[in-house]
Amino acid sequence: MIKEFCGLFGVHGSPRAATLATYGLYAQQHRGEEAAGLAWTDGKGLQGAKGLGHVADALGGFATDGVRAHAAIGHTRYSTTGGGGLVNAQPLLVTTAAGPIACGHNGNLVNAGALRRAYEAKGHIFQTTTDSEVIVHLLASPEFRSLASWPRAFARLHGAYSLVLLTPEALVAVRDPLGMRPLSLGRLGRATVLASETSAFDLIGATLEREILPGEVLIVTRKGRRSLRIPGASPGRLAHCLFEHVYFARPDSRIFGEAVHAVRRRLGERLAEEHPAVADLVVPVPDSGNFAAEGYAARSGIPLGHGFVRNHYVGRTFIQPLSEARSAQARIKLNPLRGVVKGKRVVVVDDSIVRGTTARERVALLRGAGAREVHLRVSCPPLRNPCYFGIDFPTRGELIANRLGLKGIARRIGVDSLGYLSLEGMLSCVSLPASSYCTACWSGRYPMPVTRDHARAAAKGKRG
């Protein structure tokens, strides 16, 4: 029951709210390519629109310029539990006794199964199979019908969650007490804006103010902003997802207080120190490997060369919901430059190896283009453990590092040598203390207990 890794956007205080929210989703397309949606309000009620595919496909036919709304939220979805399809696309828009609520969620609730069963036992009817719907059922409970009581409701959620919620009266931003998923606050003139990544602010010309604090519930109304705390949230305990810096976030974003591109460059520099190679050329796997490759080349003294041309009309292979789609897109996503790599000893710098399928295909492309040697360097440690907090590592058996040792992986992928960045080396490239990050997918040390529901679902390979 691992849930979605998604992109969130919110805006309050602009007559162009729906249009701005759409632009914000375009800037975060990389966070979810399966579905996209909007919800907006004119202060009287809520309306929404959503569809399958990229933002242009899901919302391209919807004329937001004609929408009268002062607040809106948006969501791009990549599902890892709950199933695909339009019914699970977000924002979820529900009508409650206290009025309508729209909810966009990035993360995964590890106690969603228990909460859902409890509500179903009381007669609640669920319309979707996504665990985000648990949140709106919680907020619809009689004890949580005022905005001021919402922090107590969120205290009942366990797991990773960044949320944007919309009612006719307010835009609400929430971040789980461990700050596992990013969520930032900005300003555009007099309007308040929210986004999973600050690259969305750049697109609309907004200014970054700060991150939503771990455990914060920010309520934005026509009267201004009000910041509340989730009861029991400890400000000193953090578990930022380090895979955001390694792979997921855009390099032009700032998350967890740092520029993503700068972190990736430092990862590459440390990788060159830990795993040098005798080679003629450093080649990045675009796009997430670009800055790590720059760092590797700078520290090693080996020239940087672009040995792959990326087809930008193809999505991100890692976040495709089906393995067949990942494999097909990996084959058409990159094309090697024969004139660059032919006869060369090549160091390929990639951000991660998950299943090994796409890495093997990329190496074969380079061999076919005439590369004399291929040495693979990976800017994070071996991925060995499922993520129960929002990334699609559903089973240990799917992770190649659990099936094979270093030499076996190298043989399977077809490289002359293979080197992974150490966990210690990776943590040395970020500015906060090591205890501030979640490294469970590498180390197996989870920041909170995982429910039996999630362990059982991962073992069965359930996905959504």
Side-chain angles (χ1 to χ4, degrees):
M1 289 181 64
I2 301 171
K3 221 182 109 36
E4 53 258 31
F5 211 128
C6 306
L8 305 176
F9 191 85
V11 57
H12 185 284
S14 170
R16 300 175 59 242
T19 299
L20 292 172
T22 305
Y23 290 158
L25 297 185
Y26 275 107
Q28 298 178 106
Q29 181 69 85
H30 62 290
R31 297 189 69 86
E33 302 182 348
E34 186 176 339
L38 296 173
W40 62 89
T41 182
D42 59 1
K44 298 177 182 178
L46 296 185
Q47 292 182 291
K50 56 185 179 181
L52 298 178
H54 288 188
V55 177
D57 300 316
L59 301 172
F62 180 67
T64 56
D65 289 341
V67 171
R68 295 176 59 85
H70 71 277
I73 61 173
H75 188 273
T76 59
R77 183 174 193 249
Y78 159 59
S79 65
T80 55
T81 58
L86 189 59
V87 68
N88 287 324
Q90 297 189 32
L92 300 179
L93 204 165
V94 298
T95 300
T96 75
I101 301 172
C103 173
H105 174 204
N106 174 27
N108 178 59
L109 305 177
V110 297
N111 65 335
L115 289 172
R116 184 178 182 122
R117 287 191 295 272
Y119 281 121
E120 288 175 334
K122 295 177 182 178
H124 289 230
I125 297 173
F126 283 74
Q127 302 296 324
T128 76
T129 56
T130 175
D131 67 355
S132 303
E133 193 176 359
V134 168
I135 299 169
V136 293
H137 280 260
L138 182 65
L139 297 178
S141 301
E143 60 189 304
F144 301 129
R145 287 182 181 171
S146 69
L147 289 175
S149 69
W150 279 14
R152 290 190 293 107
F154 300 129
R156 298 190 181 182
L157 303 178
H158 300 156
Y161 55 92
S162 284
L163 307 172
V164 288
L165 301 120
L166 190 65
T167 74
E169 297 79 29
L171 169 67
V172 181
V174 188
R175 199 166 173 214
D176 70 75
L178 297 179
M180 298 187 78
R181 299 284 160 237
L183 188 60
S184 291
L185 171 69
R187 183 168 289 280
L188 179 63
R190 296 183 177 181
T192 293
V193 291
L194 301 159
S196 294
E197 293 191 33
T198 60
S199 56
F201 295 165
D202 297 336
L203 189 150
I204 65 171
T207 301
L208 170 66
E209 292 189 0
R210 62 175 177 86
E211 293 188 0
I212 299 297
L213 300 176
E216 182 179 13
V217 179
L218 183 71
I219 301 172
V220 185
T221 68
R222 293 184 187 273
K223 296 180 179 179
R225 299 174 181 173
R226 183 183 182 190
S227 180
L228 305 175
R229 294 286 299 172
I230 297 174
S234 172
R237 185 166 177 259
L238 300 173
H240 297 322
C241 174
L242 195 46
F243 202 66
E244 287 272 4
H245 272 305
V246 170
Y247 170 83
F248 223 91
R250 272 178 51 155
D252 53 340
S253 288
R254 289 187 64 87
I255 60 168
F256 312 142
E258 295 188 83
V260 174
H261 71 86
V263 172
R264 289 183 184 165
R265 184 180 174 93
R266 291 196 293 269
L267 293 172
E269 292 171 351
R270 180 64 182 255
L271 184 59
E273 295 171 4
E274 292 186 1
H275 297 285
V278 178
D280 305 306
L281 197 66
V282 174
V283 170
V285 174
D287 287 324
S288 51
N290 287 348
F291 287 95
E294 280 190 11
Y296 192 100
R299 184 57 55 92
S300 67
I302 302 172
L304 178 70
H306 294 282
F308 288 110
V309 172
R310 179 184 170 189
N311 181 348
H312 285 270
Y313 295 95
V314 179
R316 303 182 82 174
T317 54
F318 173 78
I319 64 170
Q320 289 299 313
L322 298 176
S323 59
E324 308 93 89
R326 282 192 298 267
S327 180
Q329 291 207 352
R331 291 192 298 271
I332 63 175
K333 178 179 176 181
L334 299 177
N335 192 41
L337 286 170
R338 182 176 296 272
V340 174
V341 303
K342 186 176 181 179
K344 301 288 180 61
R345 299 168 297 177
V346 177
V347 176
V348 178
V349 177
D350 205 350
D351 55 83
S352 59
I353 302 175
V354 182
R355 300 161 182 87
T357 305
T358 56
R360 184 172 67 249
E361 289 168 350
R362 289 164 184 160
V363 172
L365 287 173
L366 290 172
R367 298 282 195 196
R372 182 154 56 99
E373 295 177 9
V374 180
H375 304 271
L376 181 59
R377 297 296 181 263
V378 184
S379 61
C380 74
L383 293 162
R384 301 185 186 279
N385 305 284
C387 175
Y388 300 104
F389 307 109
I391 302 179
D392 182 21
F393 302 153
T395 66
R396 285 184 171 85
E398 284 187 280
L399 301 172
I400 193 171
N402 282 327
R403 304 196 310 272
L404 300 170
L406 193 67
K407 291 182 179 179
I409 297 172
R411 284 194 298 269
R412 179 69 179 273
I413 293 174
V415 293
D416 295 281
S417 71
L418 172 64
Y420 287 92
L421 185 61
S422 67
L423 181 62
E424 178 187 13
M426 181 176 61
L427 288 167
S428 74
C429 297
V430 286
S431 62
L432 296 176
S435 60
S436 301
Y437 299 94
C438 177
T439 63
C441 55
W442 301 292
S443 67
R445 295 190 291 271
Y446 293 99
M448 67 183 70
V450 182
T451 68
R452 290 182 180 179
D453 283 344
H454 282 75
R456 194 179 303 118
K460 292 179 179 178
K462 287 185 180 180
R463 49 175 304 112

